[in-house]
Amino acid sequence: MPLRCGIVGLPNVGKSTLFNALSSAGADSANYPFCTIEPNVGVVPIPDKRVARLAELAGAPETIPTTIEFVDIAGLVAGASKGEGLGNQFLGHIREVDAIIHVVRCFDDDNVVHVEADVDPARDIETIETELLLKDLDSVEQKLERTIKASRSGDKKVLVEVNFYERLVEFLGRGQPARLFEMKPDEVAWMKPLFLLTNKKVLYAANVSEEDAAAGNEYVRAVEDIARIEGAVVVTVVAEIEAQIAELDPAERAVFLEALGMHESGLDRLVHAAYDLLDLITFFTAGPNQARAWTIKRGTKAAAAAGTIHTDFERGFIRAETIKYVDYDRLGSEAAARDAGVMRSEGKEYEVQDGDVILFRFNV
């Protein structure tokens, strides 16, 4: 399954425009709230020049990049946690994603209505965060109530679980997101099934006007101040321009970006930042038929990495014949890498590294 990121924010901040640029999935966008009622989903390839280079070296006619899935979730407003603006429906969609991309309006435009009448990134971020917190608080309070009833049996383990939910309720009640909640190792199993919205990692996409594309503005700096406190990341984008860039061929795109004083599109930076946010890495397989990129969590062992290709590879794992991408690129082929002594035979406990080109050996 690809990495899934939910795009959230207030109405009219540029979510659907950004989504359209990312996925070309054709989500509607309009100058009024709630134009996106059902979540739109688009699967986007992660830009990585390495997979194309491996295909060239291996003589493979096909390249398959790793992907990221974006879910465009309709605009939230104050009161969403209580159902305002179909908020419960939209908040439910967020539960299904791995990370949240919070689009924040950082531009002035009298022709684009702001749901709060003026632009204030700090207030807008607080509005969304508050709704997510309130929804989480409601979920944990319900779980606490059920657990208290179960604890009447006198089971000491259940009483310890009650204490966990009580601490979590108090923490959320102070306006603190669940991702900052300190847990003991044996409490993680209780947190995970809650699917709390504020337990997801967040990346801020500051949507600016074209003139602020390179240097940003005071609105972006306000978002950066908030992100710095949270340990989050901010990517500056111009949603309208990104939609135009996405339609250009590579040569035209480079010229356009240079004119804007940018080396990389905002979309590419956003995709890479989302990928890094969840501490993911890429390994490759390359052969005469296909060169392919694969996504795994950093620290994944070789046998488990083989399982991302096929479960039989993990069950029958023998070894992973591994070449660093830089060596493969420098030497020009798998055979040359083997002759140079840079192809390694790794066991199932080997931690796969970003850029590893691997040939898995396994028993059927």
Side-chain angles (χ1 to χ4, degrees), residues 27-70:
D28 292 332
S29 59
N31 186 24
Y32 57 89
F34 313 124
C35 96
T36 309
I37 301 302
E38 293 298 327
N40 292 275
V41 178
V43 178
V44 182
I46 295 176
D48 194 327
K49 295 178 181 178
R50 295 175 297 180
V51 68
R53 174 60 174 161
L54 286 171
E56 177 188 348
L57 294 174
E62 182 181 19
T63 61
I64 302 180
T66 189
T67 59
I68 182 170
E69 189 171 287
F70 288 95

Side-chain angles (χ1 to χ4, degrees), residues 49 241-242 244-266 268:
K49 295 178 181 178
I241 297 298
E242 295 295 341
Q244 297 175 33
I245 293 174
E247 297 177 357
L248 300 175
D249 64 43
E252 292 176 320
R253 191 176 304 159
V255 172
F256 194 93
L257 290 172
E258 185 178 353
L260 290 175
M262 300 163 62
H263 301 293
E264 186 179 28
S265 76
D268 285 353

Side-chain angles (χ1 to χ4, degrees), residues 104-175:
V104 184
R105 178 169 168 174
C106 294
F107 65 89
D108 291 307
D109 188 338
D110 293 338
N111 295 317
V112 180
V113 177
H114 191 293
V115 71
E116 296 289 350
D118 63 341
V119 178
D120 185 338
R123 178 204 58 211
D124 294 350
I125 289 172
E126 183 179 6
T127 296
I128 298 296
E129 188 74 9
T130 297
E131 294 309 316
L132 301 184
L133 275 166
L134 289 172
K135 189 66 176 177
D136 282 351
L137 186 58
D138 181 61
S139 297
V140 180
E141 286 176 337
Q142 290 184 41
K143 180 64 176 178
L144 172 59
E145 185 178 343
R146 293 194 298 271
T147 310
I148 288 174
K149 290 180 181 178
S151 72
R152 290 169 185 163
S153 65
D155 188 325
K156 291 183 179 179
K157 290 183 179 179
V158 180
L159 289 171
V160 174
E161 190 174 351
V162 167
N163 175 259
F164 167 76
Y165 296 126
E166 287 176 337
R167 286 166 35 227
L168 185 53
V169 164
E170 191 273 336
F171 187 81
L172 295 172
R174 287 192 281 110

Side-chain angles (χ1 to χ4, degrees), residues 321-357:
E321 296 181 356
T322 307
I323 308 168
K324 292 181 181 297
Y325 170 78
V326 291
D327 290 331
Y328 202 120
D329 180 42
R330 174 174 56 87
L331 295 167
S333 70
E334 180 182 310
R338 184 183 295 108
D339 292 342
V342 297
M343 174 181 273
R344 312 181 314 276
S345 181
E346 304 287 2
K348 64 181 180 180
E349 293 302 310
Y350 168 70
E351 285 192 7
V352 176
Q353 303 298 304
D354 184 70
D356 279 350
V357 185

